[in-house]
């Protein structure tokens, strides 16, 4: 066995042992040991390995330019610089080196995080950000509050048994609203399910939200999907589907279409930290980079995929570092800082459209609510962790401090807004609840553009069954 | 991957001549079967099946500027040459290679189609369609329904070569159509010949629903037939009676039609008159044509290459038994692939060959 192989295995053993001995030490935070093992004697040019075999598909040249410096360095180690060469390989020239360097598993320091507002809602000195007008700033604030109240009231409605399911965006209001505010209405949104604020920003009314959650006859989805699966053609917001990350490749296709149509628009798709483990994530990022599609991949890294923490989701430094591997620009942003999210998405959008390229945005945040109404997150994470994020790191209060610091908002504005949103929501719920369910005929439409004969036959049989056993079926669906 | 398939393609060309014989009939007869005229439409130049597909793709791209053709290795013409010349004529923006990732191809295609384009995606072999299964089943098929028709991806067509080819082994031979026939919202179409392939592919591309279009790769070069050079479509969800008969109804699709036709010829020598139906579209399928035929003959045989258990033949047998129970004079016969993975050296043993079909015809008629 070559000496370096022995060293490798003993080094691996030492690393494994140190991991076992100090389990609390997160490997991501440790300065990575570069896998520089030892110098290897250069292979003579006449050897078969460096000979004809390689030359068949690439050209091998001597050093030029900056690589000659490397040659000089290796010469000091007693290696003959002239033996090293570079390779014309698809993608560009690759220099040969005499050292066997494994790339480290992570950077020495974690990728930093772009922020505009500090915890007290003051702009960080030296921070560069996209200016926001007073009107825009207030609209953003109002919608963040509206989203928060909507979540609270719908969550309660589910607890009272009035709707079957709900899922809040608590803690992620800045991501929802500020990212939406940075887009234009021509941009195509392909959401996961924790971004109703984007739809709210675009003009989906509280009544429309309520209609979907109650699955009534005015629900655009005709009562076919669980609550929170919103969608609107009018607002360029693709209908939510439950499977994780399946919308990411769609976003690439949609973005490619925009580019072919020479539209001044991009696609944006949202997903969580858990979603980055899905095959569709990798497929989409790779396709987008190769096809130079104007799409923004927006990762809401909220720390939790239902009960699975990010430490059990991936070993990379979050999602942001994946961009580089796919040849894509990326940025990490404070997801609880509305101005940072707004600025990052605004700039990402500009780059995506004008340069025809995908951008990856990773927003660091926290899922303050349970995963859904079917979940109790206190079973797998400490209550004080939730409380800390709910209070000390709340994106709405931080943004309010900035808005109020500008003299644009007052306590009376606040109570007026909250009262009117609450009133409008309760009204919307009452209306939605009284609205009839979609009629039975809609069970069979939209499977295809036209109803095929097998479905007509099944409808006839079903109607016979309903006639015979009317008590078996819900009374609120018109047959 | 391209290199691998090119190598295989080369050997398939050499092996093609032997396939017909291995399957129990001569190559000439297979071509003749495929060349059988169907009603309507004058003949044009004689072309093989991959050329017919290629013509359809040229027409699709030419007749709709919002149509796109893409998949692994399609840029240079595809490992089966179906996309030859398309990139040169229509440009790399509309005809392009994708990374080697079937779920990416399908997902990208769904998004492209949802923006009002005709997305014509190629999965290089039906054996490799499974990474795209979630995108096809959970996304494409439900896109219209789940949005209440706010959105649809009806412009999506996924083409994929399927079926036995003589030496394809586990992963270049499978017939996965039944998986997709279990999915409301999809259409599944399989042509039997060049003329059918061109007309059905154009209809599939223009159908406002997502279509999975399986092409019998065994026939790409083997089946040659005169086809109209112009743009034409053949109706979906319409079976075709391709041979009239009175004693028994035979149903199949794709390459298996050639085998069934051979069995019909052999049965005729024994005085048995077979009616042969090409189902053409598997879902939503044309029960009425099959029912009418079985009502006349009183006997039914279904045949496909895919494993018998859970195959689409089971669905046909059950549906026709429901509809024609009083008229049936024998159990519905199924002559299909075995319930094994598709085996390399045992291919001939695995396949629903002519004589297996012939024996089943006789057993059913004499029941």
């Amino acid at each position: 066995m070559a000496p370096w192989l022995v060293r490798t295995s003993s080094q691996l053993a030492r690393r494994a042992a140190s991991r076992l001995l100090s389990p609390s030490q997160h490997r991501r935070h440790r300065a990575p040991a570069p896998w520089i093992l030892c110098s290897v004697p250069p292979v003579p040019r006449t050897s078969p390995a460096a000979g004809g075999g390689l030359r068949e598909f690439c050209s091998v040249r001597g050093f030029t330019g900056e690589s000659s410096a490397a040659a000089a360095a290796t010469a000091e180690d007693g290696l003959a610089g002239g033996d090293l060469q570079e390779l014309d390989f698809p993608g560009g020239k690759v220099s040969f080196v005499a050292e066997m360097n494994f790339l480290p598993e992570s950077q020495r320091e974690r990728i930093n995080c772009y922020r505009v507002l500090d915890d007290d809602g003051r702009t960080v000195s030296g921070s560069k950000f996209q200016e926001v007008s007073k009107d825009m700033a207030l609209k953003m604030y109002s919608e963040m509050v509206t989203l928060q109240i909507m979540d609270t009231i719908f969550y309660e409605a589910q607890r009272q048994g009035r709707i079957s399911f709900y899922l809040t965006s608590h803690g992620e209001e800045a991501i929802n609203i500020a990212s939406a505010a940075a887009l234009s209405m021509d941009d195509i949104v392909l959401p996961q399910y924790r971004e109703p604020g984007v739809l709210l920003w675009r003009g989906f009314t509280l009544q429309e939200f309520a209609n979907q959650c109650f699955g009534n006859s005015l629900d655009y989805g005709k009562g076919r999907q669980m609550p929170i699966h919103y969608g609107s053609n009018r607002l360029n917001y693709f209908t939510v589907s439950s499977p994780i990350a399946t919308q990411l490749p769609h976003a690439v296709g949609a973005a490619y279409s925009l580019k072919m149509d020479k539209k001044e628009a991009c696609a944006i798709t949202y997903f969580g930290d858990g979603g980055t483990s899905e095959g569709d994530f990798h497929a989409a990022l790779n396709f987008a980079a190769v096809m130079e599609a104007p799409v923004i991949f927006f990762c809401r890294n909220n720390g939790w995929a239902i009960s699975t923490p990010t430490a059990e989701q991936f070993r990379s430094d979050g999602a942001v570092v994946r961009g580089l591997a796919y040849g894509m620009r990326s940025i990490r942003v404070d997801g609880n800082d509305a101005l940072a999210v707004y600025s990052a998405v605004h700039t990402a959008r500009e780059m995506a459209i004008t340069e025809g390229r995908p951008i990856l945005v990773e927003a660091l945040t926290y899922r303050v609510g349970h995963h859904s109404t079917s979940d109790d997150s206190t079973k797998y994470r400490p209550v004080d962790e939730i409380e800390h994020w709910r209070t000390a790191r709340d994106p709405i209060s931080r943004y309010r401090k900035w808005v109020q610091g500008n003299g644009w908002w007052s306590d009376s504005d606040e109570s007026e807004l909250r009262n009117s949103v609450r009133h409008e929501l309760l009204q919307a719920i009452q209306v939605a609840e009284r609205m009839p369910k979609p009629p039975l005929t809609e069970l069979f439409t939209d499977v295809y553009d036209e109803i095929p004969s097998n479905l007509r036959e099944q409808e006839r049989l079903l109607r016979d069954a309903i006639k015979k056993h009317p008590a078996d079926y819900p009374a609120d669906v018109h047959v | 991957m391209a290199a691998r398939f090119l190598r295989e393609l080369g050997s398939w060309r050499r092996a093609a001549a032997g396939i017909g014989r291995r399957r129990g009939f001569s190559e000439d007869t297979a071509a003749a079967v495929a060349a059988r005229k169907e009603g309507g439409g004058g003949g044009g130049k004689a072309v093989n099946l991959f050329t017919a597909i290629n013509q359809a793709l040229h027409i699709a791209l030419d007749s709709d500027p919002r149509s796109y053709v893409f998949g692994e290795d399609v840029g240079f013409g595809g490992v089966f040459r179906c996309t030859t010349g398309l990139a040169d004529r229509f440009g790399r923006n509309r005809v392009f290679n994708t990374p080697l990732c079937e779920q990416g191809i399908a997902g990208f295609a769904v998004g492209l189609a949802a923006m009002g384009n005709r997305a014509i995606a190629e999965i290089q072999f039906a054996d490799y369609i499974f990474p795209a299964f979630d995108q096809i089943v959970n996304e494409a098929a439900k896109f219209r329904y789940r949005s209440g028709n706010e959105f649809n991806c009806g412009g999506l067509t996924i083409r994929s070569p399927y079926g036995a080819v003589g030496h394809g082994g586990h992963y270049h031979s499978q017939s996965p159509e039944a998986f997709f026939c279990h999915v409301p919202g999809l259409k599944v179409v399989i042509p039997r010949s060049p003329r059918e392939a061109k007309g059905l592919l154009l209809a599939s591309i223009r159908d406002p629903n997502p279509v999975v279009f399986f092409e019998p790769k065994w026939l790409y070069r083997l089946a040659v037939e005169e086809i109209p050079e112009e743009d034409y479509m053949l109706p979906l969800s319409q079976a075709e009676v391709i041979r009239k008969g009175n004693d028994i109804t035979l149903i199949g699709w794709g390459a298996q039609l050639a085998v069934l036709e051979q069995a019909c010829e052999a049965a005729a020598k024994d005085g048995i008159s077979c009616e042969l139906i090409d189902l053409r579209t598997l879902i939503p399928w044309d029960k009425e044509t099959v029912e009418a035929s079985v009502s006349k003959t009183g006997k039914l045989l279904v045949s496909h290459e895919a494993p018998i258990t859970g195959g689409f033949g089971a669905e046909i047998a059950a549906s026709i038994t429901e509809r024609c129970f009083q008229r049936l004079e024998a159990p519905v016969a199924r002559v299909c692939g075995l319930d094994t993975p598709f085996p390399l050296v045992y291919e001939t043993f695995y396949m629903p060959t002519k004589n297996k079909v012939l024996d089943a015809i006789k057993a059913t008629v004499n029941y």
Side-chain angles (χ1 to χ4, degrees):
Chain A
M1 184 186 276
W4 60 269
L5 282 174
V6 178
R7 283 207 210 177
T8 308
S9 41
S10 62
Q11 196 163 358
L12 270 173
R14 277 201 305 279
R15 288 165 63 82
S18 75
R19 218 170 278 150
L20 282 173
L21 289 170
S22 55
S24 62
Q25 187 180 17
H26 200 294
R27 86 182 57 171
R28 204 160 48 203
H29 298 300
R30 199 167 49 198
W35 287 71
I36 301 169
L37 302 171
C38 66
S39 299
V40 184
V43 181
R45 218 183 268 190
T46 49
S47 82
L54 273 176
R55 288 205 186 104
E56 277 176 20
F57 76 105
C58 59
S59 64
V60 181
R61 294 181 195 154
F63 280 109
T64 53
E66 52 184 57
S67 44
S68 58
T74 49
E76 281 173 22
D77 297 336
L79 300 175
D83 287 337
L84 293 171
Q85 296 161 327
E86 65 180 14
L87 183 65
D88 254 347
F89 201 75
K93 285 178 184 165
V94 179
S95 299
F96 288 115
V97 292
E99 285 176 335
M100 184 164 61
N101 291 340
F102 286 77
L103 294 176
E105 67 278 15
S106 61
Q107 300 197 337
R108 281 175 194 280
E109 299 205 352
R110 296 194 67 180
I111 302 291
N112 52 29
C113 182
Y114 171 60
R115 163 182 259 204
V116 174
L117 293 178
D118 67 15
D119 288 343
D120 295 321
R122 286 185 297 257
T123 50
V124 177
S125 71
S127 69
K128 291 179 180 154
F129 62 99
Q130 193 65 35
E131 290 292 334
V132 178
S133 70
K134 180 184 172 187
D135 282 353
M136 175 71 108
L138 289 182
K139 184 169 182 327
M140 283 167 66
Y141 181 70
S142 304
E143 300 287 49
M144 283 164 72
V145 171
T146 304
L147 176 58
Q148 185 186 49
I149 297 173
M150 180 173 91
D151 275 345
T152 306
I153 291 181
F154 278 146
Y155 188 85
E156 281 309 311
Q158 194 279 338
R159 285 296 178 236
Q160 294 163 7
R162 295 163 82 179
I163 57 176
S164 58
F165 176 85
Y166 195 69
L167 182 152
T168 71
S169 305
H170 286 317
E172 300 180 40
E173 291 89 351
I175 285 174
N176 268 257
I177 300 301
S179 68
L183 301 170
S184 96
M185 286 298 287
D186 290 336
D187 298 329
I188 307 289
V189 182
L190 294 101
Q192 190 172 297
Y193 46 61
R194 215 179 292 281
E195 304 89 14
V198 179
L199 192 52
L200 180 71
W201 177 269
R202 297 195 151 210
F204 211 62
T205 65
L206 296 180
Q207 188 64 59
E208 287 175 305
F209 280 108
N211 291 339
Q212 199 286 327
C213 287
F214 281 87
N216 66 27
S217 58
L218 291 181
D219 167 22
Y220 302 123
K222 302 178 185 173
R224 292 166 183 158
Q225 288 211 79
M226 289 166 76
I228 66 99
H229 290 67
Y230 314 111
S232 168
N233 190 304
R234 166 176 58 99
L235 301 172
N236 282 335
Y237 190 94
F238 275 56
T239 302
V240 173
S241 74
S242 311
I244 297 301
T246 50
Q247 73 279 11
L248 271 65
H250 304 173
V252 186
Y256 190 79
S257 179
L258 292 171
K259 187 175 174 177
M260 289 300 107
D261 291 343
K262 300 188 168 55
K263 291 265 175 67
E264 282 290 304
C266 68
I268 183 167
T269 184
Y270 296 85
F271 49 97
D273 39 279
T276 66
S277 297
E278 289 281 4
D280 277 332
F281 169 82
H282 302 280
L285 267 71
N286 193 40
F287 270 58
V290 171
M291 292 177 183
E292 298 170 351
V295 51
I296 300 172
F297 294 101
F298 195 111
C299 176
R300 301 175 290 94
N301 182 350
N302 66 18
W304 296 92
I306 303 188
S307 73
T308 304
T310 49
E312 292 166 30
Q313 195 67 250
F314 40 64
R315 281 293 146 86
S316 63
D317 178 9
V320 68
V321 293
R322 315 280 182 91
L324 180 66
Y326 292 108
M328 186 184 305
R329 284 182 200 159
S330 49
I331 188 170
R332 172 172 277 163
V333 58
D334 181 350
N336 287 17
D337 175 348
L339 289 186
V341 171
Y342 178 83
S343 299
V345 173
H346 191 277
T347 307
R349 179 180 183 276
E350 285 297 313
M351 286 194 290
I353 296 171
T354 58
E355 299 176 38
R357 59 165 71 242
I359 309 282
L360 172 63
V361 178
E362 180 192 34
L364 302 185
T365 185
Y366 188 83
R367 194 195 75 212
V368 166
H370 305 305
H371 166 70
S372 72
T373 47
S374 310
D375 176 44
D376 174 6
S377 63
T378 61
K379 290 205 171 117
Y380 51 80
R381 57 183 190 176
V383 175
D384 52 355
E385 176 186 300
I386 304 172
E387 275 306 296
H388 172 71
W389 281 89
R390 194 180 68 77
T391 53
R393 313 203 76 89
D394 177 41
I396 300 182
S397 344
R398 200 200 312 180
Y399 185 62
R400 181 182 170 183
K401 283 176 195 159
W402 178 73
V403 174
Q404 216 151 356
N406 288 338
W408 294 342
W409 195 250
S410 67
D411 288 351
S412 65
D413 291 332
E414 180 80 14
S415 63
E416 192 184 323
L417 170 68
R418 287 184 178 271
N419 284 337
S420 88
V421 171
R422 200 171 288 122
H423 177 76
E424 192 185 337
L425 255 167
L426 294 173
Q427 183 96 16
I429 286 177
Q430 279 180 7
V431 170
E433 204 164 24
R434 281 198 299 265
M435 194 75 66
K437 297 289 181 221
L440 185 70
T441 48
E442 298 287 14
L443 170 58
F444 299 97
T445 58
D446 302 334
V447 181
Y448 298 94
D449 65 317
E450 289 174 355
I451 301 176
S453 60
N454 59 321
L455 285 181
R456 295 211 177 278
E457 184 186 347
Q458 288 165 30
E459 182 175 358
R460 204 180 60 247
L461 292 170
L462 176 62
R463 288 186 183 283
D464 289 346
I466 296 168
K467 258 183 217 153
K468 275 190 204 153
H469 312 284
D472 289 359
Y473 300 94
D476 56 351
V477 174
H478 178 69
V479 297
Chain B
M1 191 171 209
R4 187 178 99 217
F5 288 130
L6 280 174
R7 274 200 308 280
E8 288 169 4
L9 185 66
S11 56
W12 278 344
R13 285 184 202 171
R14 288 191 296 280
I19 295 166
R21 280 187 291 282
R22 272 207 290 285
R23 301 189 81 188
F25 51 89
S26 77
E27 192 182 333
D28 288 348
T29 334
V33 168
R36 173 174 287 275
K37 285 259 165 102
E38 62 125 22
K45 248 165 76 180
V47 301
N48 62 21
L49 197 140
F50 87 66
T51 307
I53 297 284
N54 185 253
Q55 283 188 15
L57 295 175
H58 270 280
I59 291 168
L61 286 163
D62 193 41
S63 58
D64 185 352
R66 298 194 68 94
S67 52
Y68 297 85
V69 171
F70 49 91
E72 293 157 18
D73 306 305
V74 307
F76 87 109
V79 298
F80 289 108
R81 312 310 300 153
C82 292
T83 53
T84 301
L86 296 176
D88 286 344
R89 182 167 162 203
F90 299 101
R92 287 275 171 172
N93 281 341
R94 293 180 63 203
V95 180
F96 49 88
N97 290 338
T98 64
L100 206 168
C101 179
E102 288 77 12
Q103 70 190 99
I105 294 169
F108 174 87
V110 168
L112 190 61
M115 295 291 285
N117 303 291
R118 296 195 196 285
I120 309 163
E122 176 177 310
I123 301 293
Q124 201 163 69
F125 284 83
D127 310 71
Y128 305 139
I129 204 167
F130 300 106
F133 201 59
D134 185 49
Q135 280 292 345
I136 298 170
V137 171
N138 271 332
E139 299 298 314
K142 297 170 177 61
F143 218 82
R144 187 193 300 272
Y145 193 77
R146 75 182 182 205
S147 70
N149 206 21
E150 286 280 297
F151 299 95
N152 75 79
C153 62
L156 171 65
T157 304
I158 296 178
R159 300 174 39 242
S160 192
Y162 87 97
V165 73
H167 62 289
H170 294 350
Y171 304 114
H172 300 83
S173 306
Q174 294 175 71
S175 301
E177 68 271 10
F179 291 105
F180 299 94
C181 291
H182 202 60
V183 186
L186 292 182
K187 293 190 176 182
V188 176
V189 178
I190 307 181
R192 71 173 184 277
S193 74
R195 172 196 295 271
E196 291 281 310
K198 182 174 174 183
L200 288 172
L201 180 55
L202 279 167
S204 298
I205 290 168
R206 291 161 179 170
D207 188 86
N209 299 284
V211 178
V212 180
F213 189 87
F214 287 119
E215 298 166 3
K217 63 175 167 288
W218 174 63
L219 299 182
Y220 271 143
R221 287 165 188 279
L222 204 53
V224 178
E225 160 177 59
E226 282 186 6
I227 69 170
E229 286 193 40
E230 70 269 14
D231 186 347
Y232 67 95
M233 291 190 282
L234 295 172
L236 302 188
S237 290
Q238 241 180 62
E240 186 192 358
V241 179
I242 56 176
R243 183 187 176 106
K244 292 270 183 197
N246 298 311
D247 297 331
I248 183 169
T249 302
L250 272 57
I251 303 176
W253 47 87
Q256 190 61 11
L257 264 306
V259 179
L260 295 177
E261 179 82 11
Q262 285 295 300
C264 290
E265 295 286 346
K269 287 176 189 154
D270 288 337
I272 300 170
S273 161
C274 300
E275 182 144 305
L276 181 57
I277 297 179
D278 179 2
L279 200 56
R280 305 207 283 191
T281 298
L282 275 68
I283 52 160
W285 63 290
D286 179 1
K287 278 184 201 171
E288 286 67 29
T289 296
V290 182
E291 181 184 358
S293 175
V294 176
S295 295
K296 179 176 73 178
T297 62
K299 296 176 192 81
L300 176 63
L301 181 150
V302 193
S303 183
H304 53 66
E305 284 181 23
I308 188 166
T309 301
F312 197 64
E315 176 60 34
I316 296 173
S319 294
I320 295 305
T321 303
E322 280 170 6
R323 290 191 171 212
C324 305
F325 185 69
Q326 303 282 358
R327 288 284 305 126
L328 279 173
E329 296 161 14
V332 177
R334 285 187 292 159
V335 185
C336 306
L338 304 178
D339 288 340
T340 63
F342 199 101
L344 181 68
V345 299
Y346 309 107
E347 176 166 324
T348 314
F349 300 91
Y350 167 96
M351 291 289 283
T353 48
K354 182 196 78 176
N355 281 327
K356 284 186 188 170
V357 175
L358 185 59
D359 288 349
I361 290 172
K362 288 178 183 168
T364 305
V365 169
N366 298 324
Y367 182 78

